[in-house]
Amino acid sequence: MKIQAVRLYENGFMTQPFAFGGEEGPDKFDPTVRYRSSLQNYVIDTGDEVILVDTGMPRETPDTVPEETSMIYMGSRVKDYVSALAELGYKPEQVTKILVTHKHADHSGELRSFPNAKVYISPEDADELGLNGDNVVRATYGDGAYHNFPAAQKIADGVWFIEAKGHTKGNSIVIAESDGLYYMFHGDVTYTDEALYADKLSVVFEDVAAARETLDRVREFVRGNPTVYLSTHTPLGCENLEKKAVIDLANPPASIPVGEIVFKTASGKYVCSVCGYLYDPAVGDPEHGVAAGTPFEELPDDWHCPRCRQGKDKFNKA
């Protein structure tokens, strides 16, 4: 089995209130503390199959512009998903299965690019995305428990799709077993490994009680099994994979400081940092009473992202 990271964005950051504030509240944490951020998904080559874990942002999504007040900035684009996958030696036609951890656009954005792939996704998130068709497999998690996770579905030898609700109502994780190690592709159970060690939830969830239960199960699993923790939104995901670094909750590594942040000119459009929805003032949000021509700054304080229902504070300038 060969596992590789599909590198999409780099040199971003997230704040501690964003990464840690899901239960106590973001105001309990220090907004000047920043952790490194990026965006990468993963490919599992079993020798018989090419399996993707998530498919990145839609290629047309504009880059966002970091500000001092940004809660999360995933960084600047390295490549679009298909180009990044090609750099690893794979064509879209070779992909046999795609395992979608959850519905957000930075995980499902290029499902359209893989004509031969079966798409495995929870029923809840499939409904949210309107995914139907012969290539869509709504997960049943019908193969029983996987270690301490009550519901799982076997995808291939050594590859499991596991129910892990909370971040979204249909959230899932993937675990691949290889050479005595457990590679955990967890989507956004945490946004940075520092939160895993600190036992903190991010501010992004649809069911906080379920998110807490999932994080508890993840921490229990990594205590009992040699686990390489493969995050989506921190370069630690790539670094853990390269080193085959096993999580040791009793010995958190020192955080690597965020590098220099490059500021750019904004377009007037805004991108949701959680799901990738683009607010264009020229279009507005007429379905929710926002007329075309309404600047983002003039949206009502209680306006929410039409796709993932997050507040205005989760948007970054594009």
Side-chain angles (χ1 to χ4, degrees):
M1 183 182 292
K2 185 177 183 180
I3 300 170
Q4 297 181 84
V6 186
R7 299 173 187 248
L8 305 169
Y9 288 73
E10 63 184 9
N11 299 325
F13 66 85
M14 69 186 79
T15 65
Q16 189 180 70
F18 177 88
F20 283 24
E23 290 174 304
E24 296 98 324
D27 58 319
K28 299 296 192 294
F29 298 94
D30 187 347
T32 68
V33 175
R34 288 173 170 163
Y35 304 110
R36 295 181 298 154
S37 186
S38 59
L39 179 67
Q40 60 277 332
N41 296 147
Y42 299 92
V43 56
I44 305 169
D45 188 338
T46 69
D48 297 317
E49 294 192 86
V50 177
I51 302 172
L52 306 182
V53 182
D54 295 332
T55 62
M57 278 286 199
R59 58 182 172 270
E60 63 270 18
T61 303
D63 280 0
T64 58
V65 178
E67 298 183 290
E68 287 293 329
T69 56
S70 298
M71 296 187 76
I72 182 170
Y73 165 61
M74 73 176 67
S76 57
R77 188 190 296 267
V78 179
K79 284 184 171 64
D80 66 87
Y81 189 94
V82 172
S83 298
L85 190 64
E87 192 169 77
L88 299 178
Y90 299 101
K91 298 177 181 178
E93 295 77 14
Q94 293 176 268
V95 176
T96 54
K97 293 172 181 172
I98 302 172
L99 312 181
V100 182
T101 62
H102 62 284
K103 63 188 177 184
H104 293 156
D106 50 343
H107 297 258
S108 61
E110 284 299 326
L111 291 176
R112 60 192 173 183
S113 294
F114 300 95
N116 301 327
K118 291 284 187 183
V119 177
Y120 290 75
I121 186 170
S122 70
E124 298 92 337
D125 282 7
D127 286 343
E128 287 286 326
L129 291 175
L131 290 180
N132 293 291
D134 294 340
N135 70 316
V136 177
V137 181
R138 291 170 176 249
T140 63
Y141 311 102
D143 291 321
Y146 179 84
H147 292 255
N148 64 311
F149 295 98
Q153 185 167 343
K154 186 175 181 181
I155 301 300
D157 286 344
V159 181
W160 295 83
F161 196 58
I162 298 166
E163 188 176 59
K165 296 175 183 290
H167 179 65
T168 68
K169 292 179 180 177
N171 202 73
S172 306
I173 64 176
V174 176
I175 294 179
E177 305 168 3
S178 181
D179 297 327
L181 295 176
Y182 295 84
Y183 293 85
M184 180 181 284
F185 313 81
H186 64 84
D188 296 344
V189 170
T190 60
Y191 273 79
T192 185
D193 292 17
E194 285 89 349
L196 174 71
Y197 285 100
D199 194 15
K200 302 294 184 184
L201 293 176
S202 82
V203 298
V204 184
F205 52 78
E206 292 184 348
D207 184 332
V208 67
R212 165 46 59 191
E213 183 176 349
T214 289
L215 182 55
D216 288 346
R217 291 189 187 280
V218 165
R219 285 170 53 84
E220 180 184 350
F221 182 89
V222 302
R223 283 192 194 97
N225 302 280
T227 303
V228 182
Y229 194 66
L230 299 180
S231 297
T232 299
H233 287 288
T234 169
L236 284 162
C238 300
E239 293 160 11
N240 290 344
L241 179 59
E242 289 169 358
K243 299 173 185 176
K244 296 184 178 180
V246 171
I247 290 290
D248 179 0
L249 292 179
N251 293 287
S255 291
I256 297 173
V258 172
E260 182 181 0
I261 300 168
V262 178
F263 295 92
K264 301 177 182 179
T265 302
S267 66
K269 300 176 183 179
Y270 280 72
V271 177
C272 178
S273 62
V274 174
C275 75
Y277 171 82
L278 178 68
Y279 179 79
D280 183 345
V283 177
D285 181 16
E287 288 188 16
H288 298 92
V290 177
T294 304
F296 185 85
E297 293 78 7
E298 295 180 13
L299 291 173
D301 290 342
D302 60 354
W303 182 85
H304 292 80
C305 174
R307 182 180 292 158
C308 72
R309 307 304 300 160
Q310 297 296 317
K312 291 172 62 179
D313 62 335
K314 304 301 189 305
F315 278 72
N316 291 329
K317 291 181 179 179

